Amino acid sequence: VEAEPATRRPLDATPSIGLSVILPAYNEAALIRSRLRRLRRHLERRGDDWEIIVVDDGSNDGTGGHVATIARDEPRVRLVVMPRNRGKGAALARGMQEARGAVLVATDADLSYSLADLDAAVSAVESGADAAAGNRRDSASRINLPLSLIPYMFRRWVAGAAFGAVVRFLFGPTVADTQCGLKAFSRRAAATALPRVRTRRFLVDIELLLAVRGQRLRIVEVPVHLRYLSGRSSVRMIGGLPRTLWDLARIKAADLRGGYG
Ligand SMILES: Nc1nc2c(ncn2[C@@H]2O[C@H](COP(=O)(O)OP(=O)(O)OP(=O)(O)O)[C@@H](O)[C@H]2O)c(=O)[nH]1
Ligand SMILES: [Mg+2]
């Protein structure tokens, strides 16, 4: 269990293992044990040295306790605790900072993206891309969901299209689906991108992508296979809008100042 440090230090250049999997987790107690079991089994089969870094972002449902129990028996599972909820961006950046791997891959803690997608993103980076981003809008992507979630999914789809258009208007092309939960980075890309990131919330993905693009590094996109279990989502499309617009404005201001170049 690692406490949150006061300041951000740079990511050291040399990896000591092959793969770091980063799971930002906020109130994931219901699923986290089974998901860690599944992920460990998968990583064991892959063969390279691995670690899983769970960043518990101030959960109040015992998420951290479950992970701590697992981490006691399995040192490759690491728990980083943020004492208070600071947002997915803060948690992701913190997890990336702790990573020891040559490749860093981040995915949602509920493993809603298939582990084959995780492998595809990692392979893309291993074969030379600097970053890989999942693309839910790729024609090869698939989504598995209960029928009751179709209205929610439809709203997400429409909102996502509008959001994507705004992001393209403000920042030009990066990737089709900036907000996809599956992203992989080479250690070099992570090290150059991390110091440029300041958004604590969901738009951290845009900053990471802008920073990678700003270094003229190569981003590839991979199709994804998503599985939705229930309507439990932390996405607040309307309620979160003011904060999202504010974050977009701040990222644009930083972009104009050359903050990602
Ligand atoms: N660190 C942190 N992680 C969060 C926060 N909110 C959500 N997450 C994590 O971010 C990931 C995605 O969250 P979801 O709520 O599933 O968001 P989503 O996948 O974009 O939305 P859905 O498509 O509705 O599932 C999960 O691993 C969550 O645990 C937060 O405030 N802080
Ligand atoms: Mg989700």
Side-chain angles (χ1 to χ4, degrees):
V1 181
E2 295 146 54
E4 194 185 354
T7 54
R8 188 173 288 178
R9 54 197 156 65
L11 195 70
D12 50 20
T14 1
S16 52
I17 57 167
L19 180 64
S20 297
V21 182
I22 298 144
L23 304 177
Y26 179 57
N27 289 347
E28 298 281 0
L31 292 176
I32 194 74
R33 277 174 298 189
S34 72
R35 294 311 186 258
L36 282 175
R37 205 176 309 125
R38 170 139 59 97
L39 183 56
R40 284 164 66 187
R41 225 182 299 131
H42 180 79
L43 295 175
E44 221 53 295
R45 278 197 298 264
R46 281 180 48 93
D48 41 10
D49 287 347
W50 56 266
E51 66 179 354
I52 300 170
I53 302 173
V54 181
V55 186
D56 173 15
D57 187 19
S59 300
N60 49 34
D61 68 346
T63 297
H66 290 316
V67 179
T69 307
I70 295 168
R72 265 197 291 278
D73 300 327
E74 171 52 273
R76 292 175 293 181
V77 174
R78 300 167 59 196
L79 170 64
V80 178
V81 176
M82 319 253 280
R84 264 174 306 148
N85 180 245
R86 292 179 62 211
K88 171 155 180 210
L92 180 60
R94 181 72 174 83
M96 288 174 71
Q97 200 107 53
E98 291 300 325
R100 298 168 180 154
V103 177
L104 285 65
V105 63
T107 194
D108 289 355
D110 58 0
L111 298 188
S112 46
Y113 296 92
S114 88
L115 293 177
D117 300 339
L118 183 143
D119 288 344
V122 172
S123 297
V125 172
E126 284 174 345
S127 45
D130 298 288
N135 179 9
R136 289 168 292 185
R137 305 182 96 86
D138 188 292
S139 62
S141 291
R142 293 292 180 268
I143 176 160
N144 177 316
L145 79 174
L147 287 177
S148 60
L149 284 186
I150 286 178
Y152 166 73
M153 223 34 245
F154 179 72
R155 291 196 302 273
R156 279 290 297 269
W157 182 260
V158 173
F163 182 79
V166 171
V167 170
R168 272 190 300 283
F169 173 75
L170 286 174
F171 305 107
T174 50
V175 297
D177 182 11
T178 58
Q179 300 316 112
C180 182
L182 176 68
K183 300 251 165 39
F185 301 92
S186 67
R187 192 169 185 84
R188 180 169 74 117
T192 45
L194 267 180
R196 297 180 161 83
V197 164
R198 66 211 96 197
T199 307
R200 288 179 175 189
R201 291 172 71 259
F202 283 101
L203 300 196
V204 71
D205 296 276
I206 296 177
E207 285 197 291
L208 285 167
L209 293 166
L210 290 177
V212 171
R213 190 188 69 179
Q215 310 305 306
R216 302 195 197 291
L217 301 176
R218 190 163 68 94
I219 309 171
V220 303
E221 295 176 71
V222 296
V224 291
H225 301 77
L226 258 168
R227 195 186 180 86
Y228 272 86
L229 290 179
S230 74
R232 221 182 52 84
S233 172
S234 57
V235 177
R236 291 159 58 232
M237 278 179 287
I238 305 298
L241 196 57
R243 197 52 222 257
T244 298
L245 294 175
W246 172 245
D247 283 349
L248 275 176
R250 287 182 58 214
I251 296 172
K252 183 63 197 175
D255 186 36
L256 290 171
R257 288 195 306 268
Y260 305 109

